[in-house]
Amino acid sequence: MPKIDMDAVPERRGSGYPDPFKAAYANRIKQPLGDAAGLTQFGVNLTRMAPGTGTALRHWHENEDEFVYVLEGELVLIEDEGETVLRAGDAAGFKAGVPNGHCLVNRSDREAVILEVGTRAPTERGHYPDVDLMAVKDGGGFKFIHKSGEPYA
Amino acid sequence: MPKIDMDAVPERRGSGYPDPFKAAYANRIKQPLGDAAGLTQFGVNLTRMAPGTGTALRHWHENEDEFVYVLEGELVLIEDEGETVLRAGDAAGFKAGVPNGHCLVNRSDREAVILEVGTRAPTERGHYPDVDLMAVKDGGGFKFIHKSGEPYA
């Protein structure tokens, strides 16, 4: 059945970031809708963010296009040039390989909800300009390492 | 600027289907949001459908995953097994290579709006089980041909 049973899609609460980055994303909940439908070429998450949390640490991808559409609430898009408010009905796209870190932060007093889409490339490097973190994928899932290449303990 | 200026995204009204299939999609309007952000790995359209029209002729793709999320209104998903109603907040996914033709039709009395996402594979065959039509792409854009391989006049 191609229609997705939204109530049956698991909720992934929090992030896979290592300490000390993990705490800020404890109130972020993702439902992997694309996975639920058996899709493999791109991921689609329905992501809910409580006030004070956001989509991710500011980052950019070498190989994977990204797209977000705001369904509810208000988020602040942060990138090299500064900040831009996104409200319900707004959208943004992030072309793979453009070295401009981005994230969306919920500074409002109510939940924000987005659809986020990202290509599933077999290998990837995610760059985090503000912190000592890199995301690497070589055929499996993402792992987080220091910029030196050392693993997080 | 990653934020998409929605008012500046061109509206593609109607379809590229040959006659006699074209008329039923005259009141379908697509805004290519992914293209507007420079994305190339997948397409994202904001698609508005007046009563009586729909997403497409019933079809399936060999190579490209597809995903839809209903933003407004009500649509009927038609596939081999029958019909399923999708309302705002519902979603569906269609895995590449699954030979189950699908489309969404607006049988309601008001506009329906969806976000639709599809991979951009370099080569593709789109199959239309109900009509004498095939969509082919070999490195360029889609062309529509008869199932015999003959072009439409």
Side-chain angles (χ1 to χ4, degrees), chain A residues 128-140:
Chain A
Y128 295 78
D130 304 328
V131 294
D132 178 21
L133 189 70
M134 179 175 283
V136 297
K137 180 168 66 167
D138 288 301

Side-chain angles (χ1 to χ4, degrees), chain B residues 45-68:
Chain B
N45 292 324
L46 183 70
T47 301
R48 308 201 306 272
M49 287 157 284
T53 190
T55 54
L57 290 158
R58 203 164 76 88
H59 72 287
W60 61 274
H61 286 281
E62 291 187 8
N63 299 331
E64 296 177 337
D65 282 358
E66 292 180 278
F67 177 88
V68 296

Side-chain angles (χ1 to χ4, degrees), chain A residues 23-72:
Chain A
Y25 301 91
N27 295 317
R28 186 191 73 185
I29 299 171
K30 294 188 183 224
Q31 284 184 284
L33 304 188
D35 290 353
L39 306 188
T40 57
Q41 298 171 355
F42 53 82
V44 183
N45 292 324
L46 183 70
T47 300
R48 307 201 306 274
M49 287 157 284
T53 192
T55 53
L57 290 159
R58 203 165 76 89
H59 72 287
W60 61 274
H61 286 280
E62 291 187 8
N63 299 331
E64 297 176 337
D65 283 358
E66 293 181 276
F67 176 87
V68 297
Y69 185 91
V70 181
L71 294 170
E72 294 177 36

